[in-house]
Amino acid sequence: SAAAPSGGSSPPQADIDSGSTTETGDTDSTEKFKFFVAHPESMTCSNDVHGTPFNNQVRGVNLGSWMVLEPWITPSLFYQFLGGDAKTTAMDTYSFCEVLGPEEANRQLRRHWDTWVTEDIIRDLALSGAVNSLRLPVGDYQYKPYGPYEGCFDGSLEYIDLLLDWAHEYGLTVLFDIHAQKDSQNGFDNSGQTMGFQYTSSLNSE
């Protein structure tokens, strides 16, 4: 049998169970795995191939007012409410669903989802070379509907799945932005529901 090398550390020992190898040096030991190298002494890792995509520069575009309506971006959806009163005028996603009701609101939204973001648009963005990422604002109501959102956003997750398929096909990443949460996070229409939040109230100054 071959003699062990002299004057150096012992050769790596294969870890058959985990598929890793262990090297022992004078100051630190490392464990080599398929996708990274672990350093137990410092509790760090290196050569993580999953981390390298995040070193790229993100050049993104926002898909605003697709799943979270904002009248200034898509005013055509809100022209129908001109001349109405407080009970018949919508100014955000919440009131859009509330005023129109689930069936009519969903019918209009599906038409909007079909035309506002299309495969042609995603392909053109990718081919332009100027964009490598998409920012997608979504609402919590899509995942667990409540109040007027029930029935109003039926089918919205299928459109998101379709977008993810397109993005994958054309080599774009997608950043999910939880843009709207229950009871609004800032009181503005871009939170899903306009609430008239008062930043100078005693509640917010304490």
Side-chain angles (χ1 to χ4, degrees), residues 62-201:
N62 184 52
L63 303 180
S65 206
W66 194 41
M67 294 296 165
V68 180
L69 303 181
E70 298 185 46
W72 73 274
I73 300 178
T74 49
S76 59
L77 287 172
F78 293 86
Y79 288 151
Q80 61 187 308
F81 304 112
L82 291 176
D85 57 27
K87 294 183 178 180
T88 59
T89 300
M91 59 180 66
D92 49 39
T93 313
Y94 187 95
S95 54
F96 185 90
C97 294
E98 188 175 46
V99 171
L100 293 178
E103 292 185 9
E104 176 60 19
N106 187 249
R107 185 189 70 80
Q108 293 190 26
L109 284 174
R110 285 179 181 270
R111 183 176 59 192
H112 172 60
W113 297 333
D114 279 328
T115 56
W116 190 247
V117 175
T118 66
E119 182 177 5
D120 287 343
I121 292 174
I122 302 304
R123 182 181 63 247
D124 289 346
L125 287 171
L127 293 177
S128 73
V131 171
N132 61 16
S133 185
L134 306 171
R135 175 175 176 260
L136 176 62
V138 297
D140 64 345
Y141 45 77
Q142 295 180 251
Y143 301 90
K144 190 174 182 180
Y146 52 87
Y149 297 118
E150 294 182 0
C152 183
F153 269 76
D154 285 358
S156 65
L157 295 182
E158 284 77 5
Y159 283 88
I160 289 179
D161 286 342
L162 192 58
L163 171 69
L164 294 177
D165 289 339
W166 295 337
H168 178 72
E169 180 177 353
Y170 297 111
L172 301 175
T173 61
V174 178
L175 171 65
F176 274 79
D177 166 25
I178 310 300
H179 213 63
Q181 295 183 337
K182 190 173 183 179
D183 294 331
S184 177
Q185 72 272 21
N186 62 11
F188 299 132
D189 55 5
N190 57 30
S191 70
Q193 185 178 9
T194 305
M195 299 286 286
F197 200 80
Q198 297 181 17
Y199 286 96
T200 57
S201 69

